[in-house]
Amino acid sequence: MQPAKGFFLTIEGSEGVGKSTALKFIQDYLTRAEKKFIVTREPGGTDIAEKIRHILLTPNAAETMLPETELLLMFACRMQHVQQVILPALSKGLWVVSDRFVDASFAYQGGGRGIDISRIEFLEKWLLQGLKPDLTLLLDAPVQIGLERAKHRGPEDRIEQEKAAFFEGVRQGYLKRMQQDKKRFRLIDATAPLETVQAELKKILDDIHA
Ligand code: TMP
Protein backbone atom coordinates (compact mmCIF):
# COMPACT_ATOMS: atom_id res chain seq x y z
CA MET A 1 0.00 0.00 0.00
CA GLN A 2 1.26 3.49 -0.77
CA PRO A 3 2.87 5.55 1.99
CA ALA A 4 0.41 7.86 3.66
CA LYS A 5 0.96 11.60 3.98
CA GLY A 6 -1.99 12.58 6.18
CA PHE A 7 -2.64 11.71 9.81
CA PHE A 8 -4.64 8.64 10.76
CA LEU A 9 -6.39 8.92 14.13
CA THR A 10 -8.68 6.23 15.53
CA ILE A 11 -10.98 6.19 18.54
CA GLU A 12 -11.67 2.96 20.34
CA GLY A 13 -13.41 1.66 23.42
CA SER A 14 -16.20 -0.59 24.61
CA GLU A 15 -19.85 0.43 24.95
CA GLY A 16 -20.81 3.62 26.80
CA VAL A 17 -17.30 5.10 27.14
CA GLY A 18 -18.18 8.38 25.42
CA LYS A 19 -16.74 7.81 21.95
CA SER A 20 -19.34 10.01 20.23
CA THR A 21 -18.73 12.95 22.56
CA ALA A 22 -14.96 12.61 22.11
CA LEU A 23 -15.40 12.43 18.35
CA LYS A 24 -17.47 15.62 18.32
CA PHE A 25 -14.80 17.38 20.41
CA ILE A 26 -12.03 16.27 18.01
CA GLN A 27 -14.08 17.38 15.01
CA ASP A 28 -14.58 20.84 16.54
CA TYR A 29 -10.87 21.06 17.41
CA LEU A 30 -9.75 20.18 13.87
CA THR A 31 -12.25 22.61 12.37
CA ARG A 32 -10.95 25.42 14.58
CA ALA A 33 -7.36 24.47 13.71
CA GLU A 34 -8.35 24.68 10.01
CA LYS A 35 -7.17 21.14 9.34
CA LYS A 36 -8.50 19.26 6.35
CA PHE A 37 -10.08 16.09 7.68
CA ILE A 38 -12.71 13.43 7.21
CA VAL A 39 -14.60 11.58 9.91
CA THR A 40 -15.53 8.00 9.20
CA ARG A 41 -16.41 4.80 11.01
CA GLU A 42 -16.15 1.02 11.16
CA PRO A 43 -17.89 -1.15 10.41
CA GLY A 44 -18.98 1.15 7.59
CA GLY A 45 -17.65 4.21 5.83
CA THR A 46 -18.50 3.16 2.23
CA ASP A 47 -21.75 2.15 0.57
CA ILE A 48 -20.92 -1.57 0.55
CA ALA A 49 -19.42 -1.46 4.04
CA GLU A 50 -22.53 0.28 5.43
CA LYS A 51 -24.67 -2.51 3.91
CA ILE A 52 -22.49 -5.12 5.60
CA ARG A 53 -22.74 -3.09 8.84
CA HIS A 54 -26.49 -3.48 8.66
CA ILE A 55 -26.12 -7.29 8.47
CA LEU A 56 -23.60 -7.23 11.33
CA LEU A 57 -25.66 -5.15 13.72
CA THR A 58 -29.27 -6.10 13.03
CA PRO A 59 -30.51 -8.68 15.55
CA ASN A 60 -31.65 -11.85 13.77
CA ALA A 61 -33.85 -14.20 15.79
CA ALA A 62 -33.88 -16.77 12.97
CA GLU A 63 -30.14 -17.47 12.88
CA THR A 64 -27.13 -16.94 15.10
CA MET A 65 -24.14 -15.29 13.44
CA LEU A 66 -20.98 -17.35 13.93
CA PRO A 67 -17.95 -15.56 15.42
CA GLU A 68 -15.95 -16.39 12.30
CA THR A 69 -18.63 -14.88 10.05
CA GLU A 70 -18.60 -11.77 12.22
CA LEU A 71 -14.81 -11.47 12.00
CA LEU A 72 -14.72 -11.96 8.23
CA LEU A 73 -17.51 -9.45 7.65
CA MET A 74 -15.67 -6.90 9.81
CA PHE A 75 -12.60 -7.36 7.61
CA ALA A 76 -14.70 -7.26 4.42
CA CYS A 77 -15.99 -3.86 5.52
CA ARG A 78 -12.48 -2.77 6.46
CA MET A 79 -11.04 -3.72 3.08
CA GLN A 80 -13.60 -1.53 1.27
CA HIS A 81 -13.08 1.26 3.77
CA VAL A 82 -9.28 1.22 3.53
CA GLN A 83 -9.14 1.14 -0.26
CA GLN A 84 -12.04 3.47 -1.01
CA VAL A 85 -11.78 6.03 1.78
CA ILE A 86 -8.81 5.86 4.15
CA LEU A 87 -5.84 5.50 1.77
CA PRO A 88 -7.13 8.02 -0.80
CA ALA A 89 -7.72 10.62 1.95
CA LEU A 90 -4.31 10.00 3.58
CA SER A 91 -2.55 10.24 0.23
CA LYS A 92 -4.14 13.67 -0.27
CA GLY A 93 -2.67 14.74 3.06
CA LEU A 94 -5.96 14.78 4.97
CA TRP A 95 -6.54 13.78 8.56
CA VAL A 96 -8.64 10.63 8.78
CA VAL A 97 -10.53 10.31 12.05
CA SER A 98 -12.11 6.88 12.31
CA ASP A 99 -14.60 5.79 14.92
CA ARG A 100 -13.03 2.31 15.40
CA PHE A 101 -10.59 0.38 13.20
CA VAL A 102 -8.70 -2.92 13.35
CA ASP A 103 -8.08 -2.80 17.13
CA ALA A 104 -11.84 -3.33 17.55
CA SER A 105 -11.53 -6.73 15.84
CA PHE A 106 -8.82 -7.75 18.32
CA ALA A 107 -11.01 -6.55 21.22
CA TYR A 108 -14.48 -7.75 20.12
CA GLN A 109 -13.81 -10.83 18.02
CA GLY A 110 -10.61 -11.74 19.89
CA GLY A 111 -11.25 -10.71 23.50
CA GLY A 112 -15.06 -10.87 23.32
CA ARG A 113 -15.75 -13.88 21.07
CA GLY A 114 -12.55 -15.75 21.91
CA ILE A 115 -11.21 -16.13 18.37
CA ASP A 116 -7.50 -16.94 18.40
CA ILE A 117 -5.51 -13.72 18.07
CA SER A 118 -3.13 -15.31 15.54
CA ARG A 119 -6.06 -15.65 13.08
CA ILE A 120 -6.86 -11.95 13.41
CA GLU A 121 -3.18 -11.09 13.01
CA PHE A 122 -3.17 -13.13 9.80
CA LEU A 123 -6.08 -11.11 8.38
CA GLU A 124 -4.51 -7.85 9.52
CA LYS A 125 -1.22 -8.68 7.84
CA TRP A 126 -2.82 -9.93 4.65
CA LEU A 127 -5.38 -7.18 4.16
CA LEU A 128 -3.87 -4.09 5.78
CA GLN A 129 -0.28 -4.70 4.72
CA GLY A 130 1.23 -2.62 7.48
CA LEU A 131 -1.36 0.19 7.52
CA LYS A 132 -1.70 1.35 11.13
CA PRO A 133 -3.24 4.41 12.73
CA ASP A 134 -0.70 7.08 13.65
CA LEU A 135 -2.48 7.45 16.96
CA THR A 136 -5.25 5.54 18.74
CA LEU A 137 -7.27 6.98 21.59
CA LEU A 138 -8.56 4.22 23.86
CA LEU A 139 -11.40 5.34 26.09
CA ASP A 140 -11.54 2.96 29.02
CA ALA A 141 -14.07 2.42 31.80
CA PRO A 142 -15.13 -0.52 33.98
CA VAL A 143 -17.74 -2.58 32.12
CA GLN A 144 -20.63 -1.89 34.52
CA ILE A 145 -20.19 1.88 34.22
CA GLY A 146 -20.11 1.70 30.43
CA LEU A 147 -23.15 -0.56 30.21
CA GLU A 148 -25.11 1.64 32.62
CA ARG A 149 -24.45 4.68 30.40
CA ALA A 150 -25.19 2.79 27.16
CA LYS A 151 -28.57 1.60 28.53
CA HIS A 152 -30.09 5.04 28.05
CA ARG A 153 -29.46 5.07 24.29
CA GLY A 154 -32.48 3.30 22.80
CA PRO A 155 -32.83 -0.18 21.27
CA GLU A 156 -29.72 -2.35 21.44
CA ASP A 157 -28.07 -3.69 18.27
CA ARG A 158 -26.97 -7.33 17.91
CA ILE A 159 -23.59 -6.80 19.59
CA GLU A 160 -24.89 -4.46 22.30
CA GLN A 161 -27.25 -7.28 23.35
CA GLU A 162 -24.26 -9.29 24.63
CA LYS A 163 -23.74 -9.90 28.34
CA ALA A 164 -21.31 -8.19 30.71
CA ALA A 165 -18.80 -11.08 30.47
CA PHE A 166 -18.48 -10.44 26.72
CA PHE A 167 -17.72 -6.75 27.32
CA GLU A 168 -15.21 -7.64 30.02
CA GLY A 169 -13.42 -9.69 27.34
CA VAL A 170 -13.63 -6.71 24.97
CA ARG A 171 -12.12 -4.38 27.57
CA GLN A 172 -9.29 -6.80 28.34
CA GLY A 173 -8.77 -7.36 24.60
CA TYR A 174 -8.24 -3.64 24.08
CA LEU A 175 -5.86 -3.35 27.04
CA LYS A 176 -3.83 -6.34 25.83
CA ARG A 177 -3.61 -4.89 22.32
CA MET A 178 -2.43 -1.58 23.79
CA GLN A 179 0.33 -3.34 25.73
CA GLN A 180 1.69 -4.64 22.42
CA ASP A 181 1.89 -1.21 20.79
CA LYS A 182 2.18 1.29 23.64
CA LYS A 183 3.63 4.09 21.54
CA ARG A 184 0.58 4.23 19.25
CA PHE A 185 -2.04 4.28 22.03
CA ARG A 186 -3.20 6.94 24.48
CA LEU A 187 -5.30 5.50 27.30
CA ILE A 188 -8.03 7.85 28.48
CA ASP A 189 -9.91 7.30 31.73
CA ALA A 190 -13.52 7.56 30.57
CA THR A 191 -14.83 7.67 34.15
CA ALA A 192 -13.23 11.12 34.64
CA PRO A 193 -15.47 14.22 34.39
CA LEU A 194 -16.16 15.41 30.83
CA GLU A 195 -13.96 18.53 31.26
CA THR A 196 -11.02 16.34 32.33
CA VAL A 197 -11.45 14.02 29.35
CA GLN A 198 -11.70 16.98 26.99
CA ALA A 199 -8.66 18.69 28.50
CA GLU A 200 -6.71 15.50 27.93
CA LEU A 201 -7.95 15.24 24.33
CA LYS A 202 -6.95 18.86 23.75
CA LYS A 203 -3.46 18.23 25.09
CA ILE A 204 -3.00 15.17 22.89
CA LEU A 205 -4.16 17.09 19.81
CA ASP A 206 -2.03 20.13 20.70
CA ASP A 207 1.01 17.86 20.92
CA ILE A 208 0.41 16.43 17.43
CA HIS A 209 -0.36 19.84 16.08
CA ALA A 210 2.86 21.36 17.51
P1 TMP B 1 -20.62 1.51 16.97
O1 TMP B 1 -20.59 2.16 15.63
O2 TMP B 1 -21.78 1.89 17.80
O3 TMP B 1 -19.33 1.59 17.70
O4 TMP B 1 -20.99 -0.03 16.68
C1 TMP B 1 -20.17 -0.89 16.03
C2 TMP B 1 -20.18 -2.22 16.75
O5 TMP B 1 -19.37 -3.12 16.03
C3 TMP B 1 -19.64 -2.14 18.17
O6 TMP B 1 -20.41 -3.00 19.00
C4 TMP B 1 -18.26 -2.72 18.03
C5 TMP B 1 -18.40 -3.70 16.90
N1 TMP B 1 -17.17 -3.97 16.14
C6 TMP B 1 -16.61 -5.23 16.21
O7 TMP B 1 -17.15 -6.10 16.88
N2 TMP B 1 -15.47 -5.47 15.51
C7 TMP B 1 -14.87 -4.55 14.72
O8 TMP B 1 -13.84 -4.82 14.09
C8 TMP B 1 -15.48 -3.23 14.64
C9 TMP B 1 -14.86 -2.18 13.79
C10 TMP B 1 -16.61 -3.00 15.37
Side-chain angles (χ1 to χ4, degrees):
M1 290 184 187
Q2 72 255 46
K5 288 189 293 173
F7 193 88
F8 186 17
L9 177 68
T10 59
I11 306 177
E12 300 281 358
S14 190
E15 312 301 310
V17 292
K19 258 184 329 106
S20 307
T21 314
L23 201 64
K24 171 86 178 60
F25 181 85
I26 293 166
Q27 221 166 318
D28 290 346
Y29 178 101
L30 294 176
T31 304
R32 273 198 308 275
E34 297 182 359
K35 292 278 175 198
K36 289 201 169 118
F37 67 94
I38 58 163
V39 175
T40 185
R41 69 171 178 182
E42 288 203 356
T46 80
D47 186 53
I48 292 175
E50 289 290 333
K51 286 182 176 129
I52 302 173
R53 177 188 172 95
H54 182 74
I55 298 173
L56 276 162
L57 298 186
T58 308
N60 184 346
E63 184 179 353
T64 303
M65 186 181 289
L66 296 168
E68 291 79 2
T69 306
E70 189 177 271
L71 174 67
L72 293 170
L73 288 179
M74 290 295 174
F75 269 92
C77 283
R78 183 160 300 129
M79 194 63 197
Q80 292 300 124
H81 190 215
V82 165
Q83 293 294 340
Q84 306 288 334
V85 176
I86 298 177
L87 288 178
L90 289 175
S91 71
K92 282 187 219 145
L94 267 58
W95 278 58
V96 173
V97 182
S98 187
D99 181 350
R100 300 191 188 283
F101 189 58
V102 70
D103 299 313
S105 293
F106 284 87
Y108 281 79
Q109 283 66 56
R113 299 283 184 225
I115 295 180
D116 200 296
I117 294 299
S118 64
R119 299 199 189 282
I120 310 175
E121 282 171 347
F122 170 80
L123 291 170
E124 179 188 35
K125 217 168 162 185
W126 172 36
L127 299 169
L128 302 188
Q129 298 188 19
L131 175 70
K132 278 207 165 111
D134 294 297
L135 187 71
T136 297
L137 307 174
L138 175 56
L139 292 156
D140 178 65
V143 168
Q144 280 314 329
I145 294 180
L147 291 183
E148 197 54 42
R149 286 189 193 161
K151 235 174 35 191
H152 307 289
R153 282 195 313 213
E156 289 172 325
D157 66 35
R158 191 182 59 83
I159 295 177
E160 286 167 346
Q161 287 176 351
E162 286 298 333
K163 305 210 164 40
F166 172 84
F167 293 108
E168 191 54 50
V170 170
R171 184 183 187 207
Q172 296 311 320
Y174 270 129
L175 294 172
K176 225 182 259 174
R177 177 87 170 151
M178 185 186 69
Q179 288 307 319
Q180 285 156 3
D181 199 355
K182 278 190 184 156
K183 271 172 78 179
R184 175 166 65 86
F185 279 87
R186 298 286 179 283
L187 185 66
I188 296 171
D189 176 6
T191 65
L194 183 63
E195 309 80 67
T196 311
V197 172
Q198 296 192 336
E200 202 169 337
L201 289 174
K202 181 177 180 311
K203 184 171 178 331
I204 292 167
L205 292 165
D206 285 346
D207 286 349
I208 304 168
H209 198 45

